[in-house]
Amino acid sequence: MKKVIMGEKLDEIVINAVNLLCDTVSTTLGPKGNNAIISASSLPAFVTNDGVTIARNIESNDIEINTILEILKEASIKTDEIVGDGTTTTLVLLKELMNYTSLLVKKGISKYDIKRKLNAEEIIIKELIKKYSHIPNNEELKSIAITSAKDENIGLIIYDVFKKIRNLVGIDITTSNKESTVVTFYKGYTIDTLIASQYFFKDTNEIKLINPYIILSEESIYDLETLSEVINDSIVNKKELLIMAPDFDEDVVNKVLSLNFDNEVKIYLLKNPEFGKKQYTLLNDIQSICNCKTYKNIFNHKNIGVVKEVIIDKDKTHFYFEHNINDYISKVEIEKAKLKDDFEIEYYEKRISMLKNGLATIEVGAKTVSEAREIKMHYDDSLHAISSAINGVSVGGGITYLKVSSFLNNDFILKEILKSPFRQILKNANLNYEDIENEITNRYERIYNVKTDSFESIENTSVLDSTEVLIKSLENAISITNLLLNTNSLVINEQLKNIDIDRDINI
């Protein structure tokens, strides 16, 4: 059974869905935003003020409202997916924009004219936002990290990690079952461990190799005799040996294990953890850091590689190197510049990050699982904020939107809409926004810092936002509005209950 909804009824459903989503999420905006308790059937209930997490969990028992909610959530969360922040700001702008444009439609203004005008205004506003943007210094990046995390300690940790790694994909944030948070830097190249046999670990969880020989093979190894020359060379020179290949014959693995136990040599077999094209990409990277060549069928000591240190645990294998590979990194960067697929680009960025600066892992600890999950969200927010801010920052707290609004003519649809994030931040802090707004808009020389409950110079303020987040929040709010303005019908496929399939459905 299908149900089709159109006209004023549809408009009412859309506004109800917008208000439900936006009102719930908007209360979290700013340093004194409120929390929400999230209850999920498969997980323990937890407390959060993370806008994107709250948005994802909002549902309605009304199937009509819930259908619109799903569209709204998918579109608004896009801001977070692109720049890692800004979902709440997007929804604050969206609510005001949808309610205002719905009034314009009721007054007889065509939806097409509203859409055309919004698109024209967006171009002007984005240029004004960019005009008041600047490249941040280290102290400003630190402020961005702290503000986004809503916690000074978390912000400082993220700033320190990002300063060392300089790449979002090179930083992994996870939760742990410990009470304290642990930050680990891996100054080298890291791959997944796929060891040929768990017996290589013997009674330890970690294998540490100092200046080992490295052998890389393009093909699986089925005969130990082919490796006899390099193995003998390793034994004679008392050098640890690491061999990586797509796979190893069981007999080869057993013989190497026997050599390890009987002769006290240290030979380890790793399987290439990648598949397809990535297998060769991985070999090329390790070849560059170990200064060796890959082998095919014939193995000899002439092109054995050497690396400073290799640490193998049951999950990851880390290669630590010292020699200069800038030429190889430049080659990988040129290859990345030609890519268009987002997944491939991210893969290349992670490779470049490891080759340049290594990796970092932040294991977030807390007394409970729920607390750890909540804290991790703050780490994630802070990391994404500092990553997007590195290319430009603007005065935060809704002030940039407020200032841009002052340059717009009164006939601009977005003139009043742009004031809403500033006002919402102050409302969430239980402050009278009208008096503070009048004080700020007088000359735009001061900003009100909600966190410290005081005015400060706009030139030296620590309240900053990523320019990219400001732009994407606006873009997505306008995009969702245009999408809904041009939606004229809602079709609901309702499940048929208590039917006789043979009688009621003709297949």
Side-chain angles (χ1 to χ4, degrees):
M1 178 180 176
K2 294 184 179 179
K3 184 178 182 181
V4 180
I5 304 166
M6 303 176 70
E8 291 184 4
K9 176 63 176 175
L10 175 59
D11 293 340
E12 182 183 343
I13 292 169
V14 169
I15 291 299
N16 286 339
V18 168
N19 288 340
L20 174 60
L21 179 64
C22 299
D23 285 346
T24 306
V25 177
S26 64
T27 59
T28 68
L29 188 63
K32 294 188 177 179
N34 301 292
N35 295 326
I37 299 174
I38 307 293
S39 174
S41 57
S42 59
L43 294 168
F46 62 98
V47 178
T48 183
N49 60 4
D50 180 66
V52 68
T53 302
I54 297 170
R56 283 195 175 105
N57 283 279
I58 294 174
E59 293 181 0
S60 172
N61 290 327
D62 187 316
I63 188 172
E64 298 162 2
I65 291 177
N66 205 52
T67 303
I68 302 297
L69 270 177
E70 290 305 311
I71 301 296
L72 290 171
K73 287 195 289 185
E74 182 179 351
S76 61
I77 290 168
K78 186 178 179 182
T79 311
D80 183 80
E81 292 174 344
I82 294 172
V83 292
D85 197 7
T87 298
T88 307
T89 302
T90 297
L91 294 177
V92 169
L93 292 168
L94 174 64
K95 180 191 173 181
E96 299 301 317
L97 193 49
M98 278 301 303
N99 281 283
Y100 184 65
T101 53
S102 67
L103 291 175
L104 295 180
V105 171
K106 289 178 181 178
K107 290 180 180 179
I109 300 175
S110 76
K111 294 180 178 180
Y112 174 78
D113 285 340
I114 293 172
K115 180 180 178 180
R116 181 179 53 79
K117 199 168 188 325
L118 282 176
N119 290 338
E121 289 181 15
E122 179 185 333
I123 294 171
I124 295 170
I125 292 168
K126 282 161 62 175
E127 288 305 312
L128 285 170
I129 291 173
K130 291 175 185 177
K131 180 180 177 181
Y132 295 108
S133 172
H134 66 275
I135 300 299
N137 57 37
N138 286 336
E139 285 303 312
E140 289 173 327
L141 281 176
K142 191 183 294 182
S143 294
I144 285 278
I146 292 170
T147 300
S148 184
K150 299 180 181 177
D151 182 287
E152 185 171 2
N153 185 52
I154 292 174
L156 290 174
I157 290 173
I158 288 295
Y159 170 75
D160 182 57
V161 171
F162 190 80
K163 189 177 178 182
K164 289 183 173 73
I165 303 300
R166 306 297 291 184
N167 196 311
L168 183 68
V169 296
I171 303 169
D172 187 30
I173 303 175
T174 62
T175 57
S176 76
N177 55 9
K178 301 174 184 176
E179 288 194 12
S180 59
T181 295
V182 177
V183 180
T184 307
F185 290 97
Y186 301 102
K187 185 99 173 130
Y189 196 93
T190 300
I191 65 173
D192 292 333
T193 295
L194 193 58
I195 201 159
S197 170
Q198 291 298 315
Y199 287 110
F200 281 109
F201 286 106
K202 295 183 181 178
D203 298 324
T204 182
N205 291 319
E206 181 180 277
I207 300 166
K208 189 173 184 179
L209 310 178
I210 306 298
N211 296 318
Y213 283 157
I214 304 293
I215 290 291
L216 303 176
S217 175
E218 292 182 14
E219 295 186 345
S220 297
I221 298 174
Y222 299 103
D223 184 4
L224 193 62
E225 288 301 315
T226 60
L227 294 166
S228 59
E229 184 178 340
V230 294
I231 289 175
N232 288 334
D233 192 63
S234 171
I235 294 171
V236 169
N237 292 300
K238 296 181 179 179
K239 296 283 286 188
E240 298 160 322
L241 173 63
L242 176 64
I243 303 171
M244 179 184 288
D247 203 355
F248 299 91
D249 184 79
E250 186 177 350
D251 185 56
V252 171
V253 176
N254 290 334
K255 285 181 178 178
V256 170
L257 284 169
S258 177
L259 283 171
N260 279 16
F261 288 128
D262 295 342
N263 300 323
E264 295 185 354
V265 296
K266 291 186 177 180
I267 302 171
Y268 300 93
L269 307 180
L270 279 182
K271 296 181 183 181
N272 192 319
E274 296 291 359
F275 297 92
K277 182 182 175 182
K278 285 186 177 181
Q279 273 199 347
Y280 297 99
T281 302
L282 175 59
L283 286 178
N284 288 336
D285 288 351
I286 297 178
Q287 178 182 316
S288 71
I289 64 180
C290 298
N291 197 25
C292 64
K293 292 185 179 179
T294 55
Y295 291 83
K296 194 173 181 178
N297 299 322
I298 300 173
F299 300 87
N300 58 62
H301 67 275
K302 293 179 181 179
N303 292 315
I304 291 176
V306 179
V307 70
K308 180 184 177 184
E309 186 178 8
V310 178
I311 294 178
I312 307 169
D313 64 37
K314 295 186 178 181
D315 295 316
K316 299 291 182 182
T317 297
H318 312 286
F319 293 81
Y320 300 92
F321 61 98
E322 290 182 329
H323 66 279
N324 189 313
I325 58 167
N326 288 339
D327 289 343
Y328 181 74
I329 293 171
S330 297
K331 178 185 172 185
V332 177
E333 288 175 331
I334 291 170
E335 291 173 359
K336 189 200 102 173
K338 298 176 183 177
L339 299 175
K340 293 183 179 179
D341 181 79
D342 289 341
F343 290 104
E344 278 196 275
I345 291 171
E346 184 174 328
Y347 173 63
Y348 268 70
E349 285 179 346
K350 187 167 186 176
R351 289 173 58 206
I352 292 167
S353 176
M354 288 192 290
L355 293 169
K356 274 187 174 181
N357 305 305
L359 298 175
T361 299
I362 303 173
E363 296 176 275
V364 180
K367 292 181 179 179
T368 65
V369 173
S370 297
E371 186 183 2
R373 290 175 62 198
E374 164 64 12
I375 295 172
K376 180 184 178 295
M377 291 175 197
H378 291 289
Y379 275 97
D380 288 331
D381 286 347
S382 183
L383 176 60
H384 284 95
I386 196 172
S387 177
S388 65
I390 199 164
N391 295 317
V393 294
S394 305
V395 178
I399 301 298
T400 296
Y401 284 145
L402 194 64
K403 187 172 184 178
V404 167
S405 172
S406 69
F407 290 100
L408 305 180
N409 295 329
N410 289 331
D411 64 339
F412 270 64
I413 294 173
L414 289 162
K415 183 175 178 66
E416 290 300 312
I417 308 300
L418 290 176
K419 299 176 182 179
S420 56
F422 167 80
R423 293 173 175 175
Q424 187 67 51
I425 289 170
L426 296 183
K427 285 180 185 177
N428 290 344
N430 293 317
L431 295 169
N432 185 327
Y433 73 81
E434 292 180 350
D435 292 341
I436 296 173
E437 184 177 324
N438 289 333
E439 177 69 26
I440 290 171
T441 56
N442 185 30
R443 291 186 180 179
Y444 285 102
E445 292 179 346
R446 299 201 296 168
I447 180 176
Y448 191 81
N449 188 329
V450 173
K451 188 176 180 180
T452 61
D453 286 323
S454 62
F455 284 97
E456 58 190 40
S457 169
I458 205 167
E459 296 296 328
N460 300 308
T461 183
S462 61
V463 182
L464 299 165
D465 282 331
S466 160
T467 302
E468 189 178 9
V469 169
L470 292 178
I471 289 173
K472 290 299 179 184
S473 296
L474 178 68
E475 283 180 352
N476 288 332
I478 293 172
S479 175
I480 300 168
T481 301
N482 284 334
L483 174 70
L484 295 176
L485 280 175
N486 287 276
T487 300
N488 294 317
S489 61
L490 171 63
V491 180
I492 302 291
N493 289 309
E494 294 185 327
Q495 186 176 359
L496 296 174
K497 296 180 180 179
N498 302 320
I499 61 171
D500 184 332
I501 294 179
D502 293 331
R503 179 175 60 84
D504 293 342
I505 298 179
N506 183 19
I507 299 177

